[in-house]
Amino acid sequence: MTTPFPFTAVVGQDDLRLALLLNAVSPAVGGVLVRGEKGTAKSTAVRALSALLPEVSVVAGCRFSCDPAAPDPGCPDGPHEAGTGASRPSRMVELPVGASEDRLVGALDIERALAEGVKAFEPGLLADAHRGILYVDEVNLLHDHLVDLLLDAAAMGASYVEREGVSVRHASKFLLVGTMNPEEGELRPQLLDRFGLTVEVAASREPDQRVEVVRRRLAYDDDPAGFAARWADEEAAVRQRIVAARELLPSVRLGDGALRQIAATCAAFEVDGMRADIVMARTAVALAAWAGRTDVLAEDVRQAALLALPHRRRRNPFDAPGLDEDKLDETLEEFGGPDDDPDPDPGPDGPGGGGGQPDPDDAPQGDGDTAARPEAGENGQPRPSGAGEQSPVRASEPFRAKVLSVPGIGEGAAGRRSRARTEHGRTTGARRPKGALTKLHLAATVQAAAPHQRARGRSGPGLVVRRDDLRQATREGREGNLVLFVVDASGSMAARQRMSAVKGAVLSLLLDAYQRRDKVGLVTFRGSAAEVALPPTSSVDAAAARLETLPTGGRTPLAAGLLRAHEVLRVERLRDPARRALVVLVTDGRATGGPKPVALAGRAARLFAADGVASVVVDCESGPVRLGLAGQLAGELGGTAVTLDELRADSIAGLVKDVQRRAA
């Protein structure tokens, strides 16, 4: 068995360690979501936590980890007699992003259930994680149907497996811990709210701290067991402190003053629902217990807010996570009650510290996106990046967009945009299973088995079913697509009001792409060439940031933009051949520079038509004299053109119908 990296040997990342330790003290806090760039010890710290958790008592031989003091009366392996059990280490179960539904919730042997009436059940990861940790690395990439199952289990504390009327239920209460890189896309709001705490992590910019990280990692890689042995005393001390904090937890008093501060803080930051108030209260109590105190202080409430509220105050994926700490301090001061202690005892020192403010020396340095922001010029405006360019303009207010769907039926990754054959959705037919049976079509199975009952010697009421009789249900649902934006940033588009409206429209479509689980990409063209401003990604935040800083100016190399977009699609088809694309070209249709630029643009556009790529041209031409070049370009693409003024929800709805009609 691989020796884990010691938890106490993780350098820095105090907020991350504190959040994990608070959940170890009080699992009712509700888990942790760790957000940060790659290579910041997210997974290392989470995996190291399981070694610090106290052992759990389980009923001997129970596959569902029932507590011998209060066994689950509905346990599939039960009934159990209450009494003594065996102790085992706490488990940390990892859920792979590409796991199947049966791997998560368990599998039921349908053949035996139909033929023998026996519930032959193989537990899944939700059963393994009961009374332990369920860890999801890259949780933002988890498929929607797995997210739905996680939400159900987290809400009810139990997992249900149902196959055509045959069902199994078992307890499933776990500490949910997820890690993610925001550059690869955001979480669904429903799952985001299920995490009690969130932590933003970033690599230190201090050379001495980075040197220590490398030194410890190399020492661990050379001799994992020896390195862990050198940290054994520190690990034991933290383990004992967790046990002591758990014992102290029931004695911690949450006074009315602290409760008023919690309620006022959640109201001031306009978080939805009451879960934030409850999580803050539990976190503040855990902070006091971890610090060795029996009273919750204002500093505990402040630290609880910094951990429990940032991910709950977001209103859309373009909002940056975080709290206004000045506003937080003002709220706490205004609603400070008589329970507050003006000179609190900070409690014992230790890994992760106690309550109170995080150490400013350990705060992330920079916002991780400075390279994408232009240098500020006079009056705080972005400085132009080259001759002939105009400063980027702000986008107009985004609006709600109707869905743009790709015609036909695809077989891409699960999403919410276009029709597709999927594992989930409405049943449209049946077929013989190609591998393991996952979705039984009961009527087709009975119909296949019925003609053979006499030959199989059926003598009782039961149906004699063989493997060849089983039929897999075919289903139709929705898929996510690649929405590739191709934006004209030339001088002819540089009118500030028009470019602001263009960016607002693209932002609206980006928001729609986030909600429908699409990948997005951004190609821009101006001057003498085109560039891929953002390769296809699941992060609409990154796309919005690139769009915000997009400069304009120069000639209009329309053909170069189309060819670059065509190359992006070609490469993406090799990486993900099942994902279909929708190209959104934003231009006034003009083409300048080089010999016969309009003809070259037409030839490039016909490449998309030949490949059958769905496309929409947003016509940005303005002025009293209109050449209609964007409409001609849409014809070459085999798509549809819509004017910028018409790019609203009602107009887009009609546009989708036109796209589907042309492709039919």
Side-chain angles (χ1 to χ4, degrees):
M1 182 176 179
T2 304
T3 302
F5 192 91
F7 186 85
T8 52
V10 175
V11 178
Q13 308 296 11
D14 287 349
D15 285 347
L16 169 58
R17 293 193 295 158
L18 177 59
L20 292 172
L21 289 169
L22 292 177
N23 276 274
V25 171
S26 176
V29 167
V32 186
L33 174 64
V34 188
R35 297 164 46 95
E37 57 197 25
K38 52 187 176 294
T40 50
K42 301 188 298 293
S43 299
T44 298
V46 173
R47 293 188 175 101
L49 177 67
S50 60
L52 300 178
L53 298 180
E55 292 188 340
V56 295
S57 296
V58 297
V59 174
C62 178
R63 297 174 297 167
F64 302 88
S65 301
C66 281
D67 185 350
D72 180 10
C75 176
D77 285 354
H80 302 301
E81 294 287 340
T84 59
S87 294
R88 63 161 176 79
S90 294
R91 289 175 180 165
M92 190 192 72
V93 178
E94 293 195 40
L95 171 60
V97 170
S100 66
E101 179 180 335
D102 285 347
R103 183 71 187 99
L104 178 62
V105 301
L108 200 62
D109 191 330
I110 301 298
E111 188 173 357
R112 290 189 63 190
L114 286 176
E116 305 173 27
V118 176
K119 293 183 180 179
F121 180 68
E122 183 66 28
L125 296 178
L126 289 179
D128 293 341
H130 180 46
R131 305 177 66 200
I133 301 173
L134 181 62
Y135 172 47
V136 189
D137 193 14
E138 305 294 350
V139 63
N140 50 321
L141 304 182
L142 201 63
H143 287 178
D144 276 359
H145 68 283
L146 297 181
V147 170
D148 292 337
L149 294 170
L150 275 182
L151 290 173
D152 289 343
M156 298 183 293
S159 175
Y160 293 83
V161 184
E162 299 199 15
R163 295 289 188 272
E164 303 297 340
V166 181
S167 63
V168 173
R169 173 218 167 267
H170 64 82
S172 182
K173 297 180 180 179
F174 48 83
L175 179 63
L176 182 61
V177 180
T179 56
M180 60 173 284
N181 183 347
E183 294 179 355
E184 297 175 341
E186 286 292 343
L187 273 178
R188 281 174 53 183
Q190 295 93 331
L191 183 57
L192 190 65
D193 190 51
R194 283 292 173 185
F195 287 97
L197 310 179
T198 186
V199 177
E200 295 279 338
V201 297
S204 172
R205 301 299 187 260
E206 292 294 330
D208 291 343
Q209 196 171 66
R210 296 175 74 96
V211 167
E212 186 61 23
V213 170
V214 175
R215 181 182 291 119
R216 293 186 186 183
R217 186 70 212 189
L218 293 178
Y220 171 77
D221 291 341
D222 289 342
D223 182 10
F227 183 81
R230 292 195 292 274
W231 289 87
D233 291 342
E234 288 83 352
E235 294 282 287
V238 174
R239 193 177 297 110
Q240 292 172 4
R241 189 174 172 186
I242 291 174
V243 173
R246 283 190 171 187
E247 294 174 351
L248 184 62
L249 193 68
S251 303
V252 176
R253 186 178 72 90
L254 183 64
D256 290 342
L259 279 173
R260 281 196 301 270
Q261 288 182 320
I262 290 170
T265 301
C266 292
F269 286 99
E270 300 180 350
V271 296
D272 295 330
M274 295 298 297
R275 183 174 284 118
D277 303 62
I278 297 171
V279 171
M280 270 191 66
R282 289 172 174 168
T283 304
V285 170
L287 280 163
W290 176 247
R293 291 186 266 98
T294 56
D295 288 308
V296 173
L297 306 178
E299 65 179 56
D300 299 323
V301 176
R302 187 183 194 280
Q303 182 68 73
L306 293 173
L307 293 173
L309 296 188
H311 61 302
R312 291 187 165 90
R313 60 162 294 275
R314 289 168 60 101
R315 287 294 179 264
N316 64 61
F318 309 136
D319 290 339
L323 292 182
D324 183 341
E325 295 194 31
D326 291 337
K327 180 179 178 180
L328 173 60
D329 291 334
E330 291 174 3
T331 303
L332 293 176
E333 183 176 355
E334 179 182 356
F335 289 89
D339 300 303
D340 293 338
D341 187 345
D343 186 21
D345 179 7
D349 296 330
Q357 300 182 20
D359 188 344
D361 293 336
D362 293 325
Q365 303 296 314
D367 60 5
D369 195 33
T370 55
R373 301 181 184 274
E375 182 182 356
E378 297 180 1
N379 301 321
Q381 294 296 320
R383 192 184 302 278
S385 57
E389 293 182 357
Q390 298 187 18
S391 299
V393 298
R394 288 187 173 276
S396 63
E397 189 69 22
F399 51 83
R400 184 173 180 83
K402 293 289 183 67
V403 60
L404 291 167
S405 60
V406 178
I409 300 179
E411 296 182 346
R416 299 179 179 180
R417 183 170 295 278
S418 305
R419 295 173 57 199
R421 286 180 285 270
T422 63
E423 289 294 322
H424 301 269
R426 64 185 182 89
T427 301
T428 59
R431 60 173 175 81
R432 291 180 181 271
K434 297 179 181 178
L437 181 71
T438 56
K439 296 290 184 182
L440 178 74
H441 194 295
L442 182 59
T445 299
V446 172
Q447 187 176 8
H452 309 290
Q453 296 305 294
R454 180 176 296 179
R456 293 173 182 173
R458 172 183 169 184
S459 58
L463 189 68
V464 181
V465 179
R466 302 280 173 83
R467 175 68 186 175
D468 290 344
D469 301 327
L470 299 179
R471 295 294 183 267
Q472 174 84 22
T474 58
R475 298 175 178 248
E476 182 179 308
R478 294 281 171 176
E479 67 177 1
N481 298 115
L482 167 60
V483 182
L484 182 62
F485 295 94
V486 186
V487 180
D488 183 351
S490 65
S492 63
M493 296 281 291
R496 299 183 71 84
Q497 184 176 1
R498 185 173 7 146
M499 201 61 196
S500 176
V502 166
K503 287 187 176 183
V506 177
L507 280 176
S508 303
L509 295 174
L510 281 173
L511 181 58
D512 182 68
Y514 161 74
Q515 295 168 340
R516 300 189 185 282
R517 315 298 289 174
D518 293 315
K519 294 180 71 174
V520 296
L522 178 62
V523 174
T524 65
F525 56 95
R526 61 187 177 87
S528 59
E531 66 172 336
V532 181
L534 183 72
T537 175
S538 297
S539 174
V540 296
D541 286 16
R546 298 298 190 276
L547 187 70
E548 179 184 357
T549 59
L550 178 66
T552 58
R555 295 184 176 181
T556 311
L558 178 56
L562 290 172
L563 291 174
R564 180 59 62 92
H566 188 267
E567 177 64 15
V568 169
L569 294 184
R570 185 191 68 81
V571 173
E572 193 64 19
R573 275 195 295 269
L574 296 176
R575 294 174 178 169
D576 190 357
R579 187 181 292 270
R580 298 185 295 163
L582 173 66
V583 173
V584 179
L585 175 60
V586 184
T587 181
D588 57 9
R590 289 182 171 85
T592 59
K596 300 181 179 179
V598 175
L600 286 176
R603 290 173 57 185
R606 287 192 288 275
L607 295 175
F608 292 86
D611 291 341
V613 177
S615 60
V616 174
V617 178
V618 179
D619 184 359
C620 301
E621 189 176 23
S622 62
V625 179
R626 297 178 180 245
L627 304 178
L629 296 176
Q632 297 175 24
L633 186 61
E636 300 280 6
L637 285 165
T640 303
V642 59
T643 65
L644 190 60
D645 293 337
E646 296 170 344
L647 196 59
R648 293 285 170 176
D650 293 341
S651 299
I652 294 176
L655 172 64
V656 174
K657 296 177 182 178
D658 289 342
V659 172
Q660 294 173 330
R661 192 163 49 242
R662 283 174 175 263

